[in-house]
């Protein structure tokens, strides 16, 4: 039978998609009802993702939504925001304020933003402007449909992730499509975290019944052959429909042949190779020019008259290979373009890219697109090409740093060694180093910055300052301090410049837990700064407050924190942008002083400022501080998400130090929600990349790790951490938890005397500071020690008092833990009614905070609580009279089904102590297993 193509293009992709189309209908209905929805479409190449997006676009338009569609392309992955260039045009035209539209339009075309630097555009500002455009759209809602995300450039992926993690306030739908085997990690993770607001659609292959419905007029045998040969892939069905029956049969009979993308490419290449010369040449030129290429650009690349290109485009359209839309050419499917691109030949492609670059340059095309073609065609020594790449690199340093670094590096390599670039070489090298650093290549950035040690003063000073930033991002605190100190001592500086460097040194000292040095540099900065620099003065005040907090001078910390807060509250965002990191220590200080509402206010303000700040290194730091505050407030899931986001940003900018900070802060909410195994597993992963190198954040991680070891029944490991001989700050935020953990660890290990002394010292420190959170910590430790010494009435009273303190401190998880401890003490004291009340309060606290693991522990403790006070069981005549009171108590808990770890937690013992007791019980009763031991008992009540 002769081969004949079948008209199964778009329809093939919608046959067998009833449930998936219903999911799209529900998404549109939800957005029309005022909600935000994200749709995730995935599947293999040719499975129909694009057709599903078209169906979604039709539904969204019918519902009155403003449809904005974009598509990534395989050969333009290096063009920043390529996917959004077309997608945002309707939004810019119909969106909110002219200012936001101008920001987006200029950024996408590589033009400087008004009010910004003349040579850069700002990623964060672009992202915020896009979201505000959506909010201001003159439509009931917006549908943003993005295809082929597996080929998207990095800035486009970042913007997509941003819009999903921070959805617009206006009803909106964001749909993304990508190949299942190439998911964009950040976008996929952001969609997962949306929960019910996300719709996941994994497109399967068509079954035999679907193919029968698709091809009703085709003979049954041929349908069967197409079904088996194609595997049910709609695109493969269409391409294989060109084959004769004997060819299909050979494919089906040959077990070694797996019809794949490569086979389809080969078939498409055959179709293109069979075209007439001019038509084939236009296909090649369109593959080089890119999606939505104008007829004029294709004519220039193909070196053909416009009329010949029009005729060829019509022929390609008739053959189903290309579409024509508003004088722009677009291949029917990316695989068609891939086949034409491969057939064109590598040498021809180089000259074709040169012609494309020349045409776009002459017609003022977007600089990133000009640079894309220039990079692929430039020859060594081509100064004009180098200038093009430099201009693009300088324009995109801050919102597409990886690509900017690539362009700037390519430009420097094009020119011979020692080429002066006029007087621009130092500036180009500095921006190259910045782009490398911002894209995460900190080591290479450091090397380039070293080359600038002997250039003119302005560039040298900027290079040294950025080198200090790189050192801090790498965790090289000493190197950062040395670099800043060298700037201070190397030359006479204006007072404001010197003050700024002292602020930097104060921040570095704070990271190193050197409180005295922190205060000294902050005071020197304040003496140098003028009254008209409120943001820098606020940073100095915040750092002096930080130093006061950690050396125990709380009155000074409160005064400086209040003054810093007043300064930032009256400063504009523009004044705060260069110093946005100051919100981190300010919020940290106020949180530890018990002023959690003020801390939250500062971090909210920081979020507003950071949307328009260039230095992305501030973002993970501020997210880490916010995660710590959310943990304190009991918003555990939010804390984990913030820490994950901080770690993702840190990975993106290449900061191992900030990633370690994020993971250290995440340990506590992870413990409280998922349990000690999850937290300690995360710690093991953290150990492979080392702990934070800054002592302050390492200490945060150590405290959280010590708590995790206690929860896992490893008091010795906890004590080993808090007994670290290195210098610990004297301030209560560190000293009180350290002594409290020592007390609890020692009580679990059986050393009640020493445990009591540490608990008493923690109480004295907390009371002297007058901080409710620390008083709650210390009171909890004191109650734990009393329970371990069988003073159950005292333990219950102390735990209840600790809970009250922690409620005042707005620490709901710790409050619930204290209620839980009081409940266990009441159980051991023989007061089950009071125990149930305490357990009920603990449950309410755990549920409100999402403390899933703690709820499971509480459930076990409640299950073992007697309904009324029980008397000692009568001894059995089987030898159980030889057991001590503690051994009988442990035996009863084993009878109740508790594990050794659960018994240890219940009785405030270590797991090793429980195991020792069980060994003696087995020996006294003459049994060899827990099951045999349970069988020897006739009584059931635990001994109080």
């Amino acid at each position: 039978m002769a081969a004949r193509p079948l008209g199964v293009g778009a329809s093939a992709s919608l046959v067998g998609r009833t449930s998936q189309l219903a999911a799209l209908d529900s998404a549109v209905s939800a957005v029309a009802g005022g909600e935000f929805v994200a749709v995730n479409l995935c599947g293999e190449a040719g499975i129909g993702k694009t057709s599903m997006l078209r169906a979604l676009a039709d539904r969204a338009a019918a519902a009155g939504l403003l449809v904005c569609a974009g598509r990534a392309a395989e050969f333009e992955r290096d063009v920043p925001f390529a996917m959004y260039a077309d997608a945002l045009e309707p939004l810019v035209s119909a969106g909110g304020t002219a200012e936001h539209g101008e920001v987006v339009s200029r950024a996408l075309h590589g033009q400087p933003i008004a009010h910004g630097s003349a040579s850069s555009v700002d990623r964060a500002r672009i992202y915020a402007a896009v979201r505000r455009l959506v909010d201001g759209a003159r439509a009931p809602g917006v549908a943003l449909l993005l295809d082929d995300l597996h080929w998207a450039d990095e800035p486009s992926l970042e913007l997509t992730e941003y819009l999903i993690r921070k959805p617009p306030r206006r009803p909106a739908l964001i749909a993304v499509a990508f190949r299942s085997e190439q998911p964009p990690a950040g976008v996929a993770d952001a969609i997962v975290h949306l929960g019910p607001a996300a719709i996941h659609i994994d497109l399967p292959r068509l079954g035999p019944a679907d193919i029968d419905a698709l091809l009703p007029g085709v003979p049954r045998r041929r349908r069967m052959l197409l079904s088996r040969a194609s595997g049910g892939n709609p695109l493969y069905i269409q391409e294989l429909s060109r084959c004769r029956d004997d060819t299909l049969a050979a494919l089906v009979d040959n077990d070694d042949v797996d019809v794949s993308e490569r086979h389809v490419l080969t078939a498409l290449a055959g179709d293109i190779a069979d075209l007439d010369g001019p038509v084939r040449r236009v296909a090649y030129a369109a593959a080089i020019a890119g999606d939505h290429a104008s007829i004029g650009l294709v004519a220039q690349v193909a070196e053909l008259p416009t009329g010949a290109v029009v005729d060829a485009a019509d022929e390609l359209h008739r053959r189903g290979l290309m579409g024509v839309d508003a004088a722009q050419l677009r291949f029917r499917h990316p695989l068609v373009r891939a086949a034409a691109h491969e057939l064109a030949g590598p040498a021809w492609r180089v000259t074709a890219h040169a012609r494309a670059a020349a045409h776009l340059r002459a017609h003022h095309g977007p600089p990133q697109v000009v640079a894309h073609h220039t990079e692929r065609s430039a020859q060594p020594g081509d100064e004009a090409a180098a200038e093009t790449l430099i201009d693009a690199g300088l324009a995109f340093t801050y919102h597409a740093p990886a690509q900017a670094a690539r362009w700037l590096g390519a430009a420097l390599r094009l020119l011979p060694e020692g080429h002066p670039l006029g007087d621009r070489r130092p500036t180009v090298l500095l921006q190259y180093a910045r782009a490398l650093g911002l894209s995460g290549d900190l080591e290479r950035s450091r090397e380039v910055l070293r080359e600038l040690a002997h250039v003119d003063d302005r560039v040298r000073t900027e290079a040294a300052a950025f080198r200090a930033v790189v050192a801090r991002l790498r965790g090289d605190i000493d190197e950062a301090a040395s670099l800043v100190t060298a700037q201070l001592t190397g030359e006479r500086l204006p007072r404001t410049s010197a003050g700024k460097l002292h602020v930097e040194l104060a921040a570095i000292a704070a990271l190193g837990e050197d409180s005295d040095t922190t205060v000294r540099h902050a005071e020197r900065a304040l003496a140098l700064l003028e009254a008209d620099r409120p943001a820098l003065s606020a940073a100095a005040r915040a750092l002096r407050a930080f130093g006061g907090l950690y050396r125990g001078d709380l009155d000074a910390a409160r005064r400086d924190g209040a003054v810093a807060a007043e300064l930032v509250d009256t400063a504009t965002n523009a004044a705060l942008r260069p110093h946005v990191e100051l919100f981190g220590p300010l919020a940290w200080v106020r949180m530890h002083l018990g002023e959690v509402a003020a801390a939250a206010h500062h971090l909210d303000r920081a979020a507003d400022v950071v949307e328009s700040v260039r230095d992305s290194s501030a973002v993970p730091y501020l997210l880490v501080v916010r995660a710590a505050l959310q943990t304190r407030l009991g918003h555990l899931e939010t804390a984990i998400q913030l820490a994950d986001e901080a770690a993702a940003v840190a990975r993106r900018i290449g900061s191992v130090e900030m990633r370690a900070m994020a993971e250290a802060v995440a340990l506590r909410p992870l413990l409280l929600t998922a349990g000690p195994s999850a937290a300690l597993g995360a710690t093991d992963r953290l150990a492979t990349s080392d702990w934070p190198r800054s002592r302050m954040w390492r200490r945060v991680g150590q405290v959280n790790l010590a708590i995790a070891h206690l929860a896992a029944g490893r008091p010795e490991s906890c004590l080993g951490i808090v007994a670290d001989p290195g210098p610990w700050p004297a301030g209560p935020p560190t000293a009180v938890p350290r002594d409290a953990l020592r007390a609890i660890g020692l009580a679990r290990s059986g050393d009640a005397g020493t445990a009591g002394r540490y608990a008493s010292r923690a109480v004295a420190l907390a009371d002297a500071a007058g901080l409710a959170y620390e008083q709650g910590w210390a009171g909890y430790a004191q109650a734990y020690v009393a329970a371990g010494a069988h003073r159950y009435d005292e333990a219950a009273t102390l735990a209840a008092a600790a809970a009250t303190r922690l409620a005042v401190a707005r620490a709901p998880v710790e409050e619930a833990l204290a209620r839980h401890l009081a409940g266990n003490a009441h159980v051991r004291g023989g007061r089950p009614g009071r125990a149930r009340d305490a357990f009920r309060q603990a449950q309410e606290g755990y549920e409100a905070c999402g403390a899933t693991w703690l709820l499971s522990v509480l459930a076990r403790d409640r299950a073992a609580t007697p309904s009324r006070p029980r008397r000692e069981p009568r001894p059995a005549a089987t030898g159980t009279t030889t057991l001590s009171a503690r051994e009988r108590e442990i035996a009863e808990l084993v009878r109740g089904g508790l594990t050794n770890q659960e018994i240890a937690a219940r009785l405030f013992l270590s797991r090793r102590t429980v195991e020792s007791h069980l060994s003696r019980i087995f020996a006294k009763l003459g049994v060899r297993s827990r099951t045999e031991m349970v069988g020897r008992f006739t009584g059931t009540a635990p001994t109080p």
Side-chain angles (χ1 to χ4, degrees):
M1 180 176 180
R4 53 192 180 96
L6 302 171
V8 296
S11 61
S13 301
L14 296 180
V15 167
R17 304 295 190 222
T18 303
S19 63
Q20 292 85 357
L21 291 170
L24 298 186
D25 288 331
S26 69
V28 173
S29 296
V31 176
E35 299 179 24
F36 172 79
V37 177
V39 176
N40 174 5
L41 275 165
C42 62
E44 64 185 44
I47 203 65
K49 301 182 292 296
T50 299
S51 295
M52 291 292 288
L53 281 180
R54 290 196 195 104
L56 180 56
D58 292 341
R59 286 160 166 76
L65 305 183
L66 177 65
V67 177
C68 305
R71 175 176 171 181
E74 181 179 7
F75 301 107
E76 282 78 45
R77 295 188 225 189
D78 59 335
V79 179
F81 292 113
M83 184 170 67
Y84 278 93
D86 294 320
L88 294 181
E89 283 302 324
L91 205 55
V92 171
S93 302
T97 68
E99 178 189 355
H100 299 139
E102 181 185 9
V103 167
V104 173
S105 182
R106 284 177 169 272
L108 296 186
H109 292 87
Q111 298 168 347
I113 300 174
H115 314 301
S117 167
S119 64
S120 68
V121 284
D122 188 332
R123 278 180 292 181
R125 193 171 177 191
I126 297 166
Y127 302 165
V130 171
R131 188 173 65 180
R132 287 168 183 154
L133 274 179
V134 175
D135 288 335
R138 299 183 186 94
V142 173
L144 180 60
L145 314 181
L146 303 171
D147 200 3
D148 290 334
L149 245 69
H150 48 277
W151 286 326
D153 58 278
E154 194 61 33
S156 290
L157 290 175
E158 286 185 19
L159 173 54
T160 307
E161 182 180 349
Y162 173 92
L163 293 172
I164 294 170
R165 292 193 188 277
K166 298 184 178 181
R169 289 186 292 271
R170 176 173 288 276
L173 184 155
I174 297 179
V176 299
F178 52 83
R179 294 184 182 177
S180 302
E181 67 274 16
Q182 297 172 268
V187 173
D189 180 70
I191 293 175
V192 167
H193 278 97
L194 283 178
I199 295 176
H200 303 274
I201 300 176
D202 194 347
L203 295 174
R205 292 189 171 196
L206 301 180
D210 299 323
I211 295 176
D212 288 346
L214 175 68
L215 307 173
V218 175
R220 182 174 179 279
R221 179 174 181 273
R222 183 167 175 79
R223 288 202 309 269
M224 180 270 294
L225 289 172
L226 282 169
S227 175
R228 294 180 61 188
S230 69
N233 183 294
L235 177 66
Y236 297 178
I237 293 171
Q238 180 168 5
E239 296 309 319
L240 290 173
S241 70
R242 304 169 187 274
C243 297
R244 298 166 56 91
D245 282 2
D246 54 356
T247 304
L248 293 173
L251 284 172
V252 170
D253 293 340
N254 188 349
D255 292 335
D256 295 331
V257 174
D258 176 22
V259 176
S260 64
E261 185 174 311
R262 171 52 54 185
H263 286 84
V264 174
L265 275 172
T266 302
L268 289 169
D271 291 343
I272 294 170
D274 289 341
L275 296 169
D276 292 339
V279 179
R280 187 169 63 247
R281 192 175 184 86
V282 167
Y284 297 166
I288 295 298
D291 270 351
H292 286 110
S294 69
I295 290 176
L297 174 58
V298 173
Q300 180 74 20
V301 175
E303 299 181 291
L304 290 171
T306 301
V309 172
V310 170
D311 292 341
D314 286 341
E315 176 63 21
L316 290 166
H317 177 71
R318 281 192 292 272
R319 290 176 176 259
L321 297 172
M322 182 177 285
V324 182
D325 179 21
Q328 293 180 323
L329 308 183
R330 186 170 192 172
F331 286 99
R332 176 177 56 80
H333 191 278
L335 289 178
V336 182
R337 182 185 176 192
H341 191 275
E342 186 171 326
L343 279 176
W348 187 89
R349 290 198 296 264
V350 170
T351 60
H353 279 297
R355 291 189 291 274
H359 178 85
L360 289 168
R361 194 179 297 113
H363 290 80
H364 308 290
Q368 66 269 40
V369 181
V370 178
H372 161 76
H373 290 292
T374 300
E375 185 185 6
R376 282 156 178 73
S377 58
Q379 303 297 314
D382 187 339
E383 294 189 15
E387 288 290 344
T388 295
L389 294 172
I390 288 169
D391 289 343
L394 296 179
F396 286 89
T397 295
Y398 292 103
H399 83 282
Q403 189 50 49
R406 174 172 165 170
W407 286 332
L408 291 169
L412 292 167
R413 288 190 297 274
L414 281 177
L415 300 175
E417 186 70 28
H419 190 285
L421 275 173
D423 57 356
R424 300 178 68 195
R425 189 174 185 85
T427 301
V428 171
L429 281 171
L430 176 60
Q431 288 300 92
Y432 181 39
R434 285 189 189 279
L436 288 166
L438 293 172
S439 67
D441 193 349
L442 297 180
E443 193 58 43
R444 177 64 182 140
S445 175
R446 190 184 185 198
E447 293 173 5
V448 175
L449 288 168
R450 285 174 176 164
E451 297 181 35
L452 297 171
H454 304 292
V455 297
D456 65 81
D457 291 348
R458 183 188 64 79
V459 173
R460 184 175 70 249
T461 300
E462 286 191 42
F466 190 70
R467 190 173 164 194
V469 171
V470 169
R472 272 204 294 132
L473 290 173
R474 298 177 71 249
D476 293 331
I477 305 304
D478 293 339
E479 180 182 347
S482 297
L483 289 165
V484 178
T485 301
Q487 292 179 70
L488 269 174
T489 58
E491 55 187 292
R492 185 175 180 82
L493 297 171
R495 290 174 62 87
T496 299
S497 298
K500 183 178 179 180
L501 292 174
H502 279 290
V503 169
E504 178 70 16
L505 285 171
I508 292 169
L511 289 172
E513 283 187 342
D514 188 344
S515 302
D516 291 339
T517 302
T518 301
V519 171
R520 185 175 72 252
H521 282 297
E523 290 176 344
R524 181 60 179 150
L526 288 169
L528 289 166
L529 293 171
E530 304 294 339
D532 61 348
R533 301 303 297 266
L536 269 176
S537 297
R541 288 277 185 180
L543 288 163
R544 189 164 73 171
F546 189 94
L549 175 71
Y550 274 84
R551 67 180 184 180
D553 190 352
L554 302 189
D555 289 339
R558 287 190 182 93
R559 287 194 302 272
D560 280 321
V563 174
E566 183 178 353
L567 288 169
V568 297
D569 285 345
T570 56
T572 65
N573 280 8
L576 292 169
R577 281 170 198 153
H579 316 291
V580 68
E581 286 186 351
L582 76 88
F583 285 103
L586 180 57
W588 189 265
V589 168
R590 303 202 81 178
M591 176 179 71
H592 282 91
L593 290 174
E595 302 164 357
V596 291
H601 165 71
H602 295 319
L603 290 170
D604 287 342
R605 178 71 188 283
D608 288 338
V609 175
V610 85
E611 281 192 341
S612 56
V613 72
R614 269 196 314 209
D615 186 3
S616 61
S617 68
V619 175
Y621 173 51
L622 292 169
L623 287 171
V624 166
V625 177
R626 187 180 282 274
L629 176 62
Q630 294 302 311
T631 302
R632 169 73 68 90
L633 294 172
H635 306 150
L636 302 179
E637 187 61 35
T638 300
I640 291 172
Q641 290 179 12
L642 288 166
D644 287 347
E645 187 178 351
V649 177
R651 277 193 293 272
R652 203 152 54 226
I653 65 174
S655 177
V656 175
E657 175 71 3
M658 287 194 176
R659 188 179 74 223
M661 285 162 46
E663 292 172 345
V665 167
L667 286 178
R668 194 180 303 190
L670 186 62
L671 166 69
L672 301 174
T673 55
S677 296
L680 293 174
T683 303
D684 291 341
R685 292 191 298 275
L686 181 61
T688 63
S689 59
D690 207 356
W691 281 90
R693 297 169 71 179
S694 55
R695 282 193 291 273
M696 179 252 176
W697 289 105
R698 184 165 66 245
R699 197 76 65 211
V700 170
Q702 284 179 310
V703 170
N704 289 342
L705 179 58
I707 295 170
H709 278 300
L710 272 181
R714 303 175 184 174
E716 297 83 1
S717 297
C718 167
L719 292 171
I721 292 169
V722 295
D724 180 356
W728 286 63
T734 302
V736 171
R738 184 189 192 193
D739 282 345
L741 288 169
R742 278 176 162 172
I744 296 170
L746 288 164
R748 292 283 293 271
S749 299
D751 188 349
T754 308
R757 287 193 292 276
Y758 276 115
S760 297
R761 191 166 82 172
V763 168
L765 286 169
D767 286 344
L771 298 175
Y773 183 74
E774 280 68 22
Q775 288 172 323
W777 254 97
Y780 181 93
Q782 209 171 31
Y784 202 103
V785 172
H790 311 291
R791 303 193 305 272
Y792 298 120
D793 290 349
E794 178 187 349
T797 301
L798 288 169
T804 300
R805 294 283 193 185
L806 291 162
V808 171
R810 292 184 60 185
V813 177
E814 289 85 346
E815 178 193 353
L817 277 166
R819 301 290 184 195
H820 192 163
L821 175 58
N824 279 334
H826 284 309
V827 169
R828 309 313 314 152
R831 291 178 298 279
R834 292 187 181 182
R836 284 193 293 274
D837 288 342
F839 285 157
R840 175 183 53 76
Q841 291 174 303
Q843 179 179 345
E844 290 172 353
Y846 292 159
E847 287 177 343
C849 298
T852 312
W853 174 70
L854 289 176
L855 278 169
S856 69
V857 176
L858 178 64
R860 289 195 296 268
D861 287 350
R862 296 178 83 169
T865 303
S867 59
R868 61 180 184 276
R870 293 177 177 174
R871 294 174 295 178
E872 285 275 337
R874 289 183 299 169
T878 53
T880 59
T881 52
T882 61
L883 301 182
S884 67
R886 176 63 89 186
E887 289 166 349
R888 182 177 293 278
E889 185 177 33
I890 290 172
E892 289 290 354
L893 292 175
V894 170
R895 187 176 183 276
L898 273 68
T899 66
N900 291 356
Q901 180 55 52
E902 291 165 347
I903 295 169
R906 182 72 176 273
L907 300 181
F908 312 99
L909 302 172
S910 70
R911 184 171 55 190
R912 187 174 299 173
T913 300
V914 172
E915 291 168 350
S916 297
H917 279 300
L918 279 174
S919 296
R920 289 194 290 272
I921 292 169
F922 286 2
K924 288 181 179 182
L925 298 182
V927 298
R928 290 179 293 178
S929 70
R930 293 164 69 98
T931 303
E932 286 185 61
M933 183 194 75
V934 170
R936 300 293 300 274
F937 281 83
T938 58
T940 60
T943 302

